Amino acid sequence: SGSEIRADDRLTALIRVLGLPIALTAPFVYPRVYTVMPLPDRAGNRTEVGDNVHMPPTIACSSDKLALDRIYLVDSGSLLRLYIREEVSPEQLQQVFGVCTAEEVADILCRPEEELSTEAVRILAVVQQIQRERARLPLQSLGVVVSGTPEESKLLATICEDRVAGEMNYVDFLCHVHKMVQNKQD
C-alpha cells in the first residue's frame, strides 16, 4: 500500500514519471516480461533495420505465467532484471552462460562478448535493444535476480497482475474502470 512506501521514494517516482514522454510510461505501470531461456530462434539476432534485433515475445506480467524452469527479462522502465527461476538446471546455466550456479551469472555478463556463448550474446543484444529504445532516459542497468534471494521478493512485488492484500489485480482494475466509463455514458 502507499503507506509502506517512503515519501522520498514516492516523490522520486513521481518526478521520474512526470518527466517521461507518454510512450515510455507504459513499463512503469505494466512491466514487460520477456522469456529469454529458452530464447526463440530469431530473438537477439539482428534485423535488417539499423542496429535493431528481433525481440522475444512478452508474456503477461503475472507470477502464474512464470514457469519455474525458465529465465525471464523483466523491464520495469527503470531497471532491467534477469530473473533466474528455481528449477533452471545447472546444465542449462552451463549451456547458456558457461557457469553452474545462478549466483555466478552476474559476473559472466560483465565479460567481453567474445568470451560469452552465442545464447548469452543474444540475450545481451535484447538488453541493449531495450536500452537503445530508452536513449532519452538514464541507462537502465541490468541486474540478475536469483530465486530465493531478497531481490526476488522485490521483483515479485512489481508483478502487477497479481492480487495484493485484497486489492484488485490489474485486469480486474481495467474491467472496473471500463464499467465505470460505460455507466457514466448511460
Side-chain angles (χ1 to χ4, degrees):
S1 74
S3 62
E4 295 172 3
I5 301 171
R6 296 185 342 209
D8 57 339
D9 290 338
R10 270 188 259 166
L11 184 58
T12 301
L14 179 63
I15 290 169
R16 177 178 288 146
V17 171
L18 289 175
L20 289 176
I22 294 296
L24 296 179
T25 59
F28 282 101
V29 177
Y30 190 88
R32 293 186 183 125
V33 181
Y34 302 92
T35 303
V36 293
M37 196 211 75
L39 196 60
D41 291 337
R42 289 177 41 167
N45 291 323
R46 293 175 66 81
T47 65
E48 299 303 319
V49 181
D51 291 334
N52 295 328
V53 297
H54 293 282
M55 297 297 288
T58 58
I59 63 169
C61 190
S62 169
S63 58
D64 294 341
K65 303 292 183 190
L66 301 176
L68 298 176
D69 62 344
R70 304 274 167 104
I71 297 177
Y72 298 96
L73 178 64
V74 181
D75 173 12
S76 66
S78 58
L79 295 171
L80 291 169
R81 293 182 231 150
L82 201 60
Y83 181 29
I84 303 173
R85 300 286 288 173
E86 58 260 28
E87 292 182 13
V88 173
S89 71
E91 293 79 22
Q92 291 170 310
L93 291 172
Q94 183 67 42
Q95 177 186 356
V96 176
F97 299 107
V99 297
C100 295
T101 65
E103 291 78 8
E104 298 173 278
V105 171
D107 294 333
I108 290 300
L109 293 177
C110 295
R111 292 187 179 172
E113 284 188 13
E114 299 80 35
E115 297 179 22
L116 301 175
S117 71
T118 305
E119 287 283 301
V121 169
R122 288 175 51 211
I123 291 171
L124 285 177
V126 168
V127 168
Q128 291 164 355
Q129 175 71 34
I130 294 168
Q131 290 171 333
R132 273 193 305 275
E133 290 171 0
R134 308 260 168 67
R136 185 167 174 241
L137 300 175
L139 182 68
Q140 284 181 284
S141 61
L142 174 64
V144 177
V145 176
V146 178
S147 185
T149 62
E151 289 80 22
E152 181 184 30
S153 60
K154 291 178 189 174
L155 173 71
L156 292 176
T158 66
I159 304 296
C160 61
E161 281 197 23
D162 293 343
R163 194 175 302 272
V164 178
E167 296 177 7
M168 289 184 270
N169 65 24
Y170 185 70
V171 173
D172 292 341
F173 171 73
L174 290 178
C175 290
H176 175 71
V177 169
H178 180 70
K179 280 183 189 176
M180 289 174 49
V181 169
Q182 292 295 328
N183 289 339
K184 200 166 196 155
Q185 289 180 350
D186 293 337

